[in-house]
Amino acid sequence: MGGKCPHRKVKKRRLSHKTARRGKFLLNADDAVYEKLVKLADQGKDSEGKTLPVDEDLPGMGQFYCLHCDRYFADESVKEDHYRSKRHKKRVKQLSGPAPHTQLDADIAGGMGMPDNGLKLMST
């Protein structure tokens, strides 16, 4: 009647899921990336055209960067594979559409934004 606990694998899976998702919270938000892309478009520059500073702590010395996904890569071939991936294509499509919601939009939707009291009437 003995045997291993059936919940043992569930706990292991839960912990591995947390470590996989931990990096997601370190990325820039959609609105921050969108602002960078708009600023580059206003200057008439492409997201590929600039040289990046060397940083020893980043993968590939910080030279292979995807602006849309806010990720660094080890070398050029990995970056090119990423450009062909489904995740990157979805992200580019998402950022090329309408502007993402900002904190001001969230505050207004939650009733914490600027009040709209209508037209000012003359006081008597």
Side-chain angles (χ1 to χ4, degrees), residues 60-124:
M61 304 288 279
Q63 297 301 304
F64 309 104
Y65 178 68
C66 173
L67 179 64
H68 297 93
C69 302
D70 189 40
R71 288 187 61 188
Y72 289 93
F73 300 99
D75 57 10
E76 188 68 32
S77 63
V78 178
K79 183 175 137 183
E80 293 300 323
D81 289 343
H82 166 73
Y83 284 162
R84 289 189 295 270
S85 70
K86 190 174 189 178
R87 175 187 276 178
H88 175 76
K89 290 176 183 176
K90 279 186 176 183
R91 183 81 170 163
V92 170
K93 186 177 180 180
Q94 177 186 11
L95 291 174
S96 66
H101 297 291
T102 61
Q103 185 62 40
L104 180 62
D105 295 336
D107 289 343
I108 290 172
M112 297 170 45
M114 300 168 289
D116 184 19
N117 295 331
L119 296 173
K120 288 207 171 205
L121 302 175
M122 290 180 32
S123 59
T124 56

Side-chain angles (χ1 to χ4, degrees), residues 13-76:
R13 193 176 333 131
R14 189 177 343 130
L15 293 176
S16 67
H17 176 71
K18 283 183 179 180
T19 57
R21 290 200 28 101
R22 185 175 296 142
K24 243 184 176 350
F25 301 108
L26 301 176
L27 300 176
N28 284 340
D30 292 345
D31 54 342
V33 173
Y34 186 81
E35 287 174 8
K36 285 181 188 176
L37 288 172
V38 168
K39 190 167 74 171
L40 284 174
D42 289 343
Q43 294 173 354
K45 295 181 182 175
D46 188 17
S47 59
E48 302 292 320
K50 62 180 184 176
T51 58
L52 298 171
V54 175
D55 188 358
E56 294 179 3
D57 296 331
L58 296 172
M61 304 288 279
Q63 297 301 304
F64 309 104
Y65 178 68
C66 173
L67 179 64
H68 297 93
C69 302
D70 189 40
R71 288 187 61 188
Y72 289 93
F73 300 99
D75 57 10
E76 188 68 32

